[in-house]
Amino acid sequence: MGSKRKRTNKEAVGDIQPSQKRSKNGQAKTKTDNALDKSPFTEQHTVEQRRRELEIYELLGSEDIADRINAADAIISGLLGGDGVPESVLLRHLDKRLFRGLASGRNASRLGFSLVLTEILGQLFGEKDLAGTKYTSLTFDKVLGLLVEKTHTGGSIPGQEERNHFFGQLFGLECFIRADILYSDKTRWFAVLDLLLKLAEKKSWLKPQCGFIVAQAVAQMKRKLAEKTLQVLAENGYPKTPEGVGIWIAALDRFPEMQVPSQPWKHPLAATSLSALPAALKDTGSESTGDQEPGKKQKTANWTARLHFVWDTIVAHFVKLGKQAEADAAEQFKKFWNRVVDEGFFSKGSSDSQKFSGFMIFQKMLEGAQNCPFVLPILFSKNFMACLMNQASVEDRYLHRAALKALKAIEAATGNEPSFLPTTLKQLLGNHGAYNFDQRTNTKTVDKLLQKTSPATIKAVLKLLQLKDPSKSGLDEAKYYQALGNYLYRLSSTTSESDEESKSKKSVPGSAIQLLTELAYSNKSVPENIKEALRTKSTSAFAKLVKRPEDFGHLCNAILAIETDLDPEDEMASSILPQAYERLKDLLDPENETDATKGTRRALALLHSVGILQFYNQDPDVMDLFEELEECYDKLADEKLQDGEGISEYLVEILLAMVARPSSLMRQVSQQVFEAFTGLMSAEALELLTGPLAADESAKGQQALFSTEDEDMHDAEGGSESGSDEEELDSDVEIVNLEEAGSEDGDKSSGDEEDDEEEEQEEEQDKDQEALEALDNALADVLQSHRLDKDNEAESEPESDMSDSEMMAVDEKLAEIFKLRAKSTSKKKDKRDAKDTVVNFKHRVLDLLAIFVKKEATTLNPLAFGILLPLLQLVRTTTTKALANKACDILINFSKGLKKARASHAKLGEEVDADAMTALLRELHDEAPKDPSHAFARAVSTASLAVASVLCGMDDKATQDVFQLYAETQLKWYRGQVKIQPAFFSDWLHWCQSHVSTLAAQD
């Protein structure tokens, strides 16, 4: 028995050779780098010979293919190399080692032993004919008998060992076929064929394996032998089985004119055979033909999740046919797929196992479609699509995972062959699919496919998405445009692969955003109520594009392509808007830009594009924006960017107005434009930018910032905690969480402020409770009643009916009470909204300052130092932790930028006034005692060291001023005149120590 034999071998190895080291996976490590002994094996079975054989045969079963090949080479050379070994030695190896080893389930034994047997059989019965000249006793029948004997399953043996023996015999018979020794003498072939047919009858799961081997053999033999083989198979009832179909197709592909049995078909894939083919391929156990007993059925394999080899044969057939005549192949495949697969495996009466097989067949055909693209549109047939959408849409359905695998196969095939995308989309969104395919299936298949769109396919994809007749989508008009808008939004969000693509008119995001804009603003066939939703979607798409500078031109081109009817009596439409278009075209003209002006001109063009978009969105403040943009444009044209005087102030005013809006587009545009103009910032512009940071975070601060008490500002802020449940926010509107808007690091700007906030909240809660009690009392007085929890306190009074006049008086009093209550609640809401508005605005200002620091700190721009004091004052005065953290982060990044600039030996952008820098340092030291918190101390220390490092790099006088100022501050701290965290001074000492260490290293 196999298990005992394995133990004996292990014991033998232990007796005659030293123990080997084992790897982590338990396999013995062998020295494969040492060449194996290839000398002939001897008749004398000495200890050395046994050790050598055991070592080589152990390697022959290794999972490492290189070890198996080396071992096979050594065995073949040791048996047949040179003059060859005596017949008794060869027989012993065939009997005791090779055929016996086929039944072993150890590692990759069957593969290694089959490799050696195939070569030995080829030399024995092939061209060399060693069996006829040297090893005369080793006849074909004898050797074949050895295989049958060593893989015999007689007696009661465990199931796994029986399985090993069956597979051993199967591998052995395959060795005879691969050795190419059967077809010169047909008796040999039919002897092997008889064994294969008998083996197939023993176990149903062996039948596909045996059929596969026969199909391989038929593809190698001559025509007459192939005809006789098919006749034998027909007599054994094979034609109407999956194995028979595969064998017939393989034979007919090799010999198209061969004579085949008249029954049951001439060719399994012929049109006349399609009615009987589904039952054969599904292996339903139909009655066989020929000389079998009536009513006897072929054994059929149990259902398995592994696809039968016949489908590989069918794919190969249509690939070959397509290379000869694609039109005929497409027509034949369409008939085959619809009749056999769609109506056979995906019909309503098909079982779940058959549908599962159908999904695997679809994936197999989809893989083959790369070699024969004509099959692709045919695969998405009616029943298949219905089953696919039904099974994919509900998670608890039996074939849900199979349907998802089919969808992933579609995505993979399209990724491997991008040209498939238009055809695939056409089938999923039309014909037997659904225009809202992703919604129907609860997947993101179409969404992922659209991401694979390329400039070569974008035109075809857009043509498929935009239907001439929306009713053909199967959706109502609103849902159709909603789905179309979503598809175009996805396409516009794809990333351009290169700069050339981003400039091309066939660019994916450029083409998509232009069509989306056309639908939202220019297309007259789109209803106005639907256009509003499309405009929202286009604005969100613009916000995505603005994040990527390489896609800058797409937004501008989409704006330029808008064509809509304007009111000629509208002054803005007739004069200001055309002028804005002219300026935009001029700014986009590459002939008018240089390397120095390219960035600023594009940024200004972006602002013009947003202004035009705001005009079409009926923004009430767009008139002021156009006026400011015109002045910026004139300044840019006049100054030629020599000093940029006046431009930065206008830009800051424009950008502050933009960031005050809750729109994501406005935020992205403001950041992109500001980044292009940071080099032109003036001190006045920087003051305009940092000024809002000092505003109170209250209604008073809101009024000071925006100079208005209009309710529009309150409604627009995304951070507001209130609002009607019926209102729908624009998808471009940002909702800011004040607790998460800033950095997570750092403490509160002040512990006292946190306590004050808690006290204020407690006071508000007390006031709310008092107000509720007052409301209850007022209602009790008017209604002459009391709360249920005051039954014990209330005196029992007789009920009385009120007259109509009394009831009207009660209604008036109730209305007055609720009006006062609503007014009180509204004031509290307004206060909260006002604070949120100011805080959100400060967040946006800090975002711009972060960009300024990132761009200018590394260039040592002296203007950058002007933001230090406003940031520190914000850290100290704000009651919002997120703002304080974000301001601290900017200060830290400023310090890092300076260090990076000094490391690269960068010089100051312009001459720095040492006195002004010293005065700034003194202001920072004056600021340090104003807040005792650790977070503020770290912020002040960071800012102070940044200024001190610049001054110490100037001259001796400036250095002395720095040390004197630190000494004065430390003396005040020592005397108790000021309260400062010790870290302020320890950071200074560490900086000095670092400087000394650097000097010592240079020496």
Side-chain angles (χ1 to χ4, degrees):
M1 303 210 332
S3 59
K4 291 183 179 179
R5 181 169 63 251
K6 189 172 182 180
R7 287 195 296 270
T8 303
N9 288 342
K10 289 179 69 176
E11 292 169 0
V13 172
D15 291 338
I16 63 176
Q17 68 179 18
S19 61
Q20 297 173 320
K21 292 183 179 180
R22 292 191 173 271
S23 60
K24 292 182 178 179
N25 59 9
Q27 296 179 7
K29 289 185 177 180
T30 57
K31 297 182 179 180
T32 56
D33 54 337
N34 295 335
L36 296 174
D37 185 1
K38 298 183 181 180
S39 61
F41 293 103
T42 62
E43 290 186 271
Q44 297 177 352
H45 208 197
T46 63
V47 173
E48 281 298 323
Q49 285 296 322
R50 290 179 63 191
R51 180 182 293 113
R52 175 194 171 195
E53 288 183 17
L54 287 171
E55 179 183 357
I56 294 177
Y57 279 101
E58 181 77 16
L59 288 176
L60 190 62
S62 172
E63 293 181 348
D64 189 331
I65 187 172
D67 288 347
R68 292 202 305 270
I69 292 176
N70 290 334
D73 183 39
I75 293 172
I76 294 170
S77 299
L79 291 175
L80 302 179
D83 295 334
V85 297
E87 184 175 305
S88 59
V89 175
L90 179 58
L91 179 61
R92 177 172 63 82
H93 278 265
L94 288 173
D95 184 17
K96 302 296 184 180
R97 293 289 187 186
L98 295 173
F99 283 124
R100 191 177 181 183
L102 289 175
S104 172
R106 181 181 64 86
N107 298 339
S109 293
R110 293 192 189 98
L111 296 177
F113 283 74
S114 297
L115 185 64
V116 175
L117 279 170
T118 300
E119 180 62 27
I120 292 177
L121 291 173
Q123 294 195 34
L124 285 177
F125 307 108
E127 292 182 2
K128 290 186 177 182
D129 192 22
L130 295 179
T133 58
K134 186 173 183 178
Y135 305 111
T136 55
S137 297
L138 293 177
T139 62
F140 181 85
D141 292 337
K142 183 175 181 178
V143 175
L144 186 60
L146 284 176
L147 169 64
V148 175
E149 178 186 348
K150 296 305 175 184
T151 58
H152 181 60
T153 58
S156 177
I157 61 176
Q160 182 59 46
E161 189 167 348
E162 181 186 50
R163 184 183 180 89
N164 288 338
H165 280 69
F166 283 143
F167 272 117
Q169 187 172 10
L170 185 68
F171 272 73
L173 293 173
E174 190 174 14
C175 290
F176 281 89
I177 293 174
R178 290 186 176 181
D180 196 17
I181 58 176
L182 303 179
Y183 315 123
S184 59
D185 185 352
K186 64 180 181 179
T187 57
R188 294 179 178 178
W189 161 242
F190 285 113
V192 171
L193 177 61
D194 183 61
L195 288 174
L196 284 170
L197 295 179
K198 290 179 179 178
L199 184 62
E201 291 298 318
K202 292 181 179 179
K203 296 291 181 181
S204 59
W205 47 266
L206 283 171
K207 192 174 182 182
Q209 312 297 331
C210 296
F212 177 69
I213 294 175
V214 174
Q216 286 183 311
V218 169
Q220 298 176 17
M221 62 183 61
K222 294 182 180 180
R223 175 176 171 176
K224 292 295 184 182
L225 187 57
E227 291 176 352
K228 181 61 177 175
T229 300
L230 294 189
Q231 186 63 44
V232 172
L233 293 173
E235 292 171 357
N236 284 271
Y238 262 76
K240 286 190 174 183
T241 64
E243 296 76 31
V245 174
I247 295 169
W248 254 249
I249 295 175
L252 288 169
D253 278 351
R254 179 171 172 80
F255 307 111
E257 303 299 328
M258 70 180 295
Q259 296 293 325
V260 297
S262 57
Q263 294 295 330
W265 43 49
K266 293 293 184 180
H267 196 298
L269 299 179
T272 55
S273 305
L274 294 181
S275 59
L277 189 58
L281 289 178
K282 288 191 287 187
D283 202 9
T284 57
S286 57
E287 292 186 7
S288 59
T289 59
D291 298 333
Q292 281 190 314
E293 299 177 8
K296 183 179 180 180
K297 295 183 179 181
Q298 282 287 325
K299 286 188 177 181
T300 60
N302 294 328
W303 180 84
T304 175
R306 186 176 180 180
L307 202 59
H308 199 281
F309 81 89
V310 67
W311 296 102
D312 292 298
T313 308
I314 293 173
V315 171
H317 168 79
F318 283 108
V319 170
K320 180 180 179 180
L321 190 62
K323 293 179 180 179
Q324 299 172 355
E326 184 171 312
D328 295 340
E331 183 63 25
Q332 184 178 345
F333 180 78
K334 184 176 182 179
K335 292 179 180 179
F336 163 78
W337 181 263
N338 290 336
R339 180 64 185 88
V340 176
V341 181
D342 194 57
E343 297 177 8
F345 286 84
F346 290 106
S347 65
K348 293 182 179 180
S350 299
S351 64
D352 288 335
S353 60
Q354 291 170 349
K355 291 178 180 178
F356 186 93
S357 298
F359 280 123
M360 291 193 295
I361 294 168
F362 171 81
Q363 295 176 52
K364 175 68 67 177
M365 293 296 177
L366 198 60
E367 294 172 4
Q370 297 186 19
N371 298 318
C372 47
F374 64 86
V375 310
L376 185 63
I378 301 173
L379 295 179
F380 299 88
S381 49
K382 181 179 180 180
N383 291 336
F384 164 74
M385 287 299 296
C387 183
L388 177 67
M389 290 190 291
N390 290 335
Q391 296 294 335
S393 60
V394 182
E395 187 175 355
D396 59 355
R397 287 187 175 170
Y398 182 73
L399 299 176
H400 177 72
R401 293 181 64 184
L404 293 185
K405 285 185 178 180
L407 292 175
K408 289 185 180 298
I410 295 172
E411 296 171 17
T414 307
N416 295 332
E417 189 57 54
S419 61
F420 285 0
L421 179 61
T423 303
T424 304
L425 282 177
K426 182 178 181 180
Q427 303 306 319
L428 295 180
L429 302 182
N431 293 342
H432 306 302
Y435 191 82
N436 57 342
F437 184 85
D438 283 355
Q439 286 72 30
R440 283 283 303 276
T441 58
N442 290 322
T443 63
K444 294 185 178 180
T445 303
V446 175
D447 186 76
K448 293 177 181 178
L449 290 176
L450 290 176
Q451 296 178 33
K452 305 179 188 299
T453 307
S454 65
T457 58
I458 181 60
K459 184 177 180 180
V461 169
L462 291 180
K463 187 176 180 181
L464 288 170
L465 295 178
Q466 188 180 14
L467 304 178
K468 293 182 179 179
D469 183 5
S471 62
K472 292 183 178 180
S473 66
L475 306 173
D476 60 52
E477 194 173 42
K479 289 185 178 179
Y480 161 75
Y481 281 110
Q482 181 183 6
L484 176 59
N486 290 334
Y487 293 147
L488 295 176
Y489 176 76
R490 167 53 59 193
L491 287 172
S492 65
S493 301
T494 58
T495 304
S496 300
E497 297 179 358
S498 63
D499 292 337
E500 290 75 14
E501 180 186 333
S502 63
K503 296 176 182 178
S504 172
K505 292 183 178 179
K506 291 185 178 180
S507 167
V508 174
S511 301
I513 193 65
Q514 187 161 333
L515 178 56
L516 181 57
T517 307
E518 178 186 346
L519 291 172
Y521 297 97
S522 304
N523 196 317
K524 297 179 180 179
S525 62
V526 180
E528 286 298 325
N529 60 331
I530 297 176
K531 280 188 176 182
E532 290 299 324
L534 292 176
R535 289 175 181 177
T536 298
K537 190 65 67 176
S538 64
T539 303
S540 298
F542 283 138
K544 292 271 188 181
L545 286 177
V546 169
K547 294 180 181 179
R548 304 192 299 263
E550 66 272 15
D551 292 329
F552 155 81
H554 300 154
L555 189 150
C556 297
N557 291 333
I559 296 298
L560 288 173
I562 295 177
E563 296 180 1
T564 184
D565 295 332
L566 300 176
D567 185 0
E569 297 182 359
D570 189 339
E571 179 183 354
M572 182 181 295
S574 59
S575 60
I576 297 180
L577 186 61
Q579 293 175 11
Y581 269 113
E582 290 298 324
R583 292 195 299 270
L584 177 58
K585 292 177 182 178
D586 178 69
L587 291 168
L588 293 175
D589 191 350
E591 296 181 359
N592 296 333
E593 66 182 24
T594 63
D595 292 339
T597 63
K598 183 177 180 179
T600 51
R601 289 179 66 86
R602 286 193 170 191
L604 199 55
L606 192 59
L607 282 177
H608 277 78
S609 299
V610 173
I612 295 173
L613 189 66
Q614 285 180 291
F615 167 77
Y616 287 118
N617 288 337
Q618 299 180 352
D619 192 303
D621 299 327
V622 73
M623 178 70 112
D624 295 336
L625 176 61
F626 279 146
E627 292 177 357
E628 292 171 340
L629 288 177
E630 184 178 7
E631 294 182 13
C632 286
Y633 174 82
D634 293 339
K635 285 282 184 181
L636 184 64
D638 292 341
E639 298 296 335
K640 303 298 182 182
L641 287 182
Q642 293 179 358
D643 54 18
E645 182 181 357
I647 296 179
S648 57
E649 290 86 346
Y650 283 109
L651 278 172
V652 169
E653 291 287 355
I654 294 173
L655 297 181
L656 288 177
M658 293 178 67
V659 298
R661 299 173 179 271
S663 168
S664 174
L665 173 62
M666 297 303 174
R667 179 187 179 189
Q668 295 296 334
V669 169
S670 64
Q671 293 180 4
Q672 291 288 339
V673 173
F674 185 76
E675 185 173 359
F677 279 91
T678 54
L680 299 178
M681 289 291 289
S682 64
E684 293 78 9
L686 205 57
E687 289 181 7
L688 289 174
L689 189 59
T690 57
L693 298 179
D696 292 339
E697 295 170 9
S698 62
K700 182 179 179 181
Q702 181 191 30
Q703 185 176 0
L705 285 176
F706 305 110
S707 300
T708 179
E709 296 180 357
D710 193 354
E711 294 296 330
D712 292 341
M713 182 57 66
H714 299 297
D715 295 338
E717 289 300 323
S720 175
E721 297 178 1
S722 60
S724 173
D725 294 336
E726 297 178 358
E727 294 178 354
E728 293 184 0
L729 286 178
D730 193 321
S731 63
D732 182 46
V733 172
E734 292 186 310
I735 302 178
V736 181
N737 187 332
L738 298 181
E739 296 298 327
E740 299 175 358
S743 170
E744 295 295 330
D745 300 327
D747 301 327
K748 246 195 174 298
S749 59
S750 172
D752 294 337
E753 289 169 358
E754 189 173 303
D755 295 337
D756 292 342
E757 284 185 358
E758 293 178 357
E759 291 178 1
E760 289 178 2
Q761 292 177 358
E762 291 177 359
E763 290 178 0
E764 287 183 1
Q765 291 177 359
D766 293 339
K767 292 180 179 179
D768 290 341
Q769 185 63 33
E770 292 176 2
L772 288 174
E773 291 180 358
L775 177 62
D776 289 338
N777 294 332
L779 291 175
D781 292 340
V782 172
L783 299 175
Q784 298 297 319
S785 63
H786 58 272
R787 290 194 331 218
L788 293 178
D789 59 352
K790 293 186 178 182
D791 281 345
N792 296 331
E793 302 175 9
E795 296 181 1
S796 177
E797 297 181 358
E799 296 183 1
S800 61
D801 295 332
M802 288 188 292
S803 64
D804 291 343
S805 59
E806 290 175 334
M807 292 181 66
M808 291 179 64
V810 169
D811 289 342
E812 292 176 359
K813 290 181 179 180
L814 288 175
E816 184 178 353
I817 290 173
F818 284 114
K819 185 176 181 181
L820 292 173
R821 173 62 180 172
K823 186 176 181 180
S824 175
T825 304
S826 177
K827 288 181 179 180
K828 294 178 182 179
K829 171 183 171 298
D830 291 344
K831 288 181 180 180
R832 288 194 299 267
D833 290 350
K835 179 180 178 179
D836 290 345
T837 299
V838 176
V839 170
N840 287 339
F841 185 66
K842 288 185 178 182
H843 272 298
R844 302 297 169 252
V845 173
L846 289 179
D847 290 338
L848 297 180
L849 289 176
I851 294 173
F852 181 76
V853 167
K854 180 181 178 181
K855 294 274 291 184
E856 301 302 320
T858 55
T859 63
L860 292 178
N861 186 344
L863 288 177
F865 292 91
I867 70 171
L868 298 180
L869 197 58
L871 287 175
L872 285 174
Q873 292 171 346
L874 175 65
V875 173
R876 177 170 56 84
T877 59
T878 183
T879 59
T880 305
K881 182 179 179 180
L883 283 177
N885 289 340
K886 185 176 285 189
C888 289
D889 289 341
I890 295 174
L891 289 171
I892 292 172
N893 291 333
F894 180 87
S895 177
K896 291 180 179 178
L898 286 180
K899 290 180 182 179
K900 185 177 180 180
R902 288 197 301 271
S904 61
H905 304 290
K907 296 182 179 180
L908 291 173
E910 60 184 58
E911 179 127 5
V912 179
D913 187 348
D915 294 337
M917 292 290 287
T918 304
L920 174 60
L921 183 61
R922 186 174 297 278
E923 288 182 290
L924 294 176
H925 279 241
D926 292 340
E927 193 75 17
K930 295 182 180 180
D931 191 327
S933 68
H934 293 279
F936 183 73
R938 286 197 299 268
V940 173
S941 178
T942 300
S944 180
L945 288 176
V947 178
S949 64
V950 174
L951 285 170
C952 290
M954 288 183 171
D955 51 39
D956 290 340
K957 181 181 182 304
T959 304
Q960 290 176 5
D961 292 341
V962 172
F963 276 82
Q964 182 178 353
L965 184 55
Y966 265 97
E968 291 175 0
T969 305
Q970 189 172 9
L971 182 59
K972 293 178 182 178
W973 173 64
Y974 170 76
R975 290 176 176 174
Q977 297 175 357
V978 294
K979 293 182 179 180
I980 303 176
Q981 289 291 339
F984 182 83
F985 304 106
S986 62
D987 289 346
W988 163 247
L989 291 177
H990 291 156
W991 182 87
C992 293
Q993 183 179 0
S994 176
H995 179 73
V996 172
S997 300
T998 302
L999 291 177
Q1002 292 176 353
D1003 295 339

